[in-house]
Amino acid sequence: MKILVVADPLEAFKITKDTTFAMMRELQKRGHALAACEPEHLQWQSGQPVTAQVRHVALTGDADAWFKATGEGREPLHTFDAVLMRKDPPFDSEFFYATHLLEQAEREGARVFNSPRALRDHPEKLALMEFARFAPPTLVTRRPEAIRAFHAEHRDVILKPLDGMGGMGIFRVGADGMNLGSIIETLNQGGATSVMVQRYLPEIVQGDKRLLLIGGKVAPFVLARIPQGSEVRGNLAAGGKGVAQPLSDVDRRVAEAIAPTLAARGLLLVGLDMIGDKVTEINVTSPTCFQEIQQQTGFDVPAMFVDALEAALA
């Protein structure tokens, strides 16, 4: 099959940990042909199908020059057997527009994963609210007074922007309310920007767990991202230590309650974040942690993903 990967520039990949690279390596291993482009290479001209300026690539096995281009040109997306949308956040206006072009390509016959409409319908912080019974007390608001009232009720809270990634812009405010006003001003920007506030979960010291939902099933291992030193964030990008662990009974029960709903909406791959027994985020744009789990446990997450992709295309 011919597979098009829409992602950040290949030259910027850190292949020792990049999940998209792990997907591509498994796809090539199975004999699938690979091509790649960036969202900026998508194009839709009236009366014509959605196209992209693509590079056909082959993985070399060389750590330094890990791919080589075998050809390039502008091609309709519907001529590929599958399109993998793997652009990293932020979910900005250009990402939003890219999903519209990809959805038009679907109408022309393209198979896109994750579904462009599902990407739009499940912003990674807000998607949590549909499954509030599995989440800690959570507030999304632009009103500073509502944030203050939530803090007064729960005393120890986490504040974060809706469009953050990798732990960016996350703050903890304890019972003394130290710096709450300044943090609200920073995140809320005078009422212009929505903020998510959640009750602090002390179980974070055991790690912010990334569960992988693939084709409606739950991978048997999670990656617990454990904060280091005085850091409150477990995100790997914020210096957290990733420790792979078997899926617990509680993890499985929560994930299996959520996974079928999301899979039915066209979300082939979901990264479910849990602290203790609570879901804190639902990541759908470009979930990661394949390589960390595989390296520590031997479980072949990329193979599980490509199995699910091939089954979806059958």
Side-chain angles (χ1 to χ4, degrees):
M1 291 190 295
K2 291 171 53 183
I3 310 294
L4 174 63
V5 179
V6 183
D8 291 301
L10 299 183
E11 291 80 3
F13 280 25
K14 297 178 180 178
I15 64 169
T16 56
K17 63 178 184 178
D18 192 278
T19 289
T20 305
F21 167 77
M23 293 174 174
M24 295 173 71
R25 183 172 55 190
E26 180 65 21
L27 286 162
Q28 179 171 286
K29 177 182 174 183
R30 300 192 188 196
H32 302 306
L34 296 171
C37 73
E38 300 164 38
E40 67 184 71
H41 299 142
L42 299 174
Q43 180 173 299
W44 184 17
Q45 185 169 335
S46 58
Q48 298 182 18
V50 174
T51 64
Q53 184 67 27
V54 307
R55 285 188 291 179
H56 294 270
V57 298
L59 278 57
T60 65
D62 185 329
D64 295 319
W66 65 271
F67 73 93
K68 63 179 180 181
T70 60
E72 61 179 283
R74 181 158 294 281
E75 301 180 29
L77 268 61
H78 68 76
T79 62
F80 292 88
D81 295 287
V83 177
L84 302 184
M85 179 50 163
R86 289 288 302 171
K87 174 69 178 71
D88 284 342
F91 193 111
D92 56 14
S93 295
E94 288 303 320
F95 191 107
F96 178 80
Y97 300 144
T99 66
H100 280 288
L101 268 64
L102 291 170
E103 189 171 13
Q104 172 61 22
E106 283 187 322
R107 289 191 283 268
E108 296 160 0
R111 302 290 303 278
V112 184
F113 304 91
N114 282 326
S115 154
R117 178 179 292 274
L119 289 175
R120 288 200 306 276
D121 288 349
H122 297 81
E124 301 195 333
K125 303 293 192 296
L126 287 177
L128 169 73
M129 303 299 277
E130 180 181 352
F131 304 97
R133 67 190 184 279
F134 299 117
T138 301
L139 168 72
V140 177
T141 186
R142 290 168 59 173
R143 298 173 57 242
E145 60 271 26
I147 298 174
R148 293 183 183 279
F150 188 91
H151 172 262
E153 178 182 358
H154 296 286
R155 308 294 292 166
D156 197 352
V157 301
I158 295 290
L159 300 94
K160 49 189 168 181
L162 292 183
D163 61 353
M165 62 171 291
M168 179 186 69
I170 291 179
F171 296 90
R172 178 185 177 187
V173 177
D176 60 5
M178 185 70 69
N179 288 326
L180 178 60
S182 178
I183 292 168
I184 291 173
E185 291 170 6
T186 299
L187 294 179
N188 182 236
Q189 299 181 30
T193 305
S194 296
V195 179
M196 173 172 275
V197 195
Q198 292 179 319
R199 186 181 68 197
Y200 173 73
L201 298 172
E203 295 89 346
I204 183 62
V205 297
Q206 277 85 48
D208 180 356
K209 297 173 290 186
R210 165 58 55 84
L211 284 66
L212 294 171
L213 314 183
I214 301 175
K217 299 179 180 178
V218 189
F221 293 91
V222 308
L223 191 74
R225 297 159 297 176
I226 302 171
Q228 300 297 292
S230 60
E231 181 60 70
V232 71
R233 300 170 297 174
N235 308 74
L236 300 182
K241 179 181 179 181
V243 178
Q245 302 172 350
L247 193 70
S248 73
D249 290 342
V250 172
D251 294 340
R252 182 180 299 279
R253 183 169 64 252
V254 172
E256 289 182 346
I258 294 173
T261 298
L262 298 179
R265 296 173 183 171
L267 293 168
L268 185 72
L269 172 62
V270 175
L272 199 68
D273 290 349
M274 293 184 65
I275 297 174
D277 62 355
K278 301 296 185 183
V279 178
T280 57
E281 289 187 17
I282 297 175
N283 298 274
V284 302
T285 51
S286 59
T288 61
C289 299
F290 279 28
Q291 292 208 61
E292 292 88 347
I293 291 174
Q294 184 177 17
Q295 290 162 3
Q296 293 184 39
T297 70
F299 179 76
D300 198 335
V301 188
M304 181 180 178
F305 173 78
V306 177
D307 284 346
L309 175 64
E310 291 175 338
L313 295 170

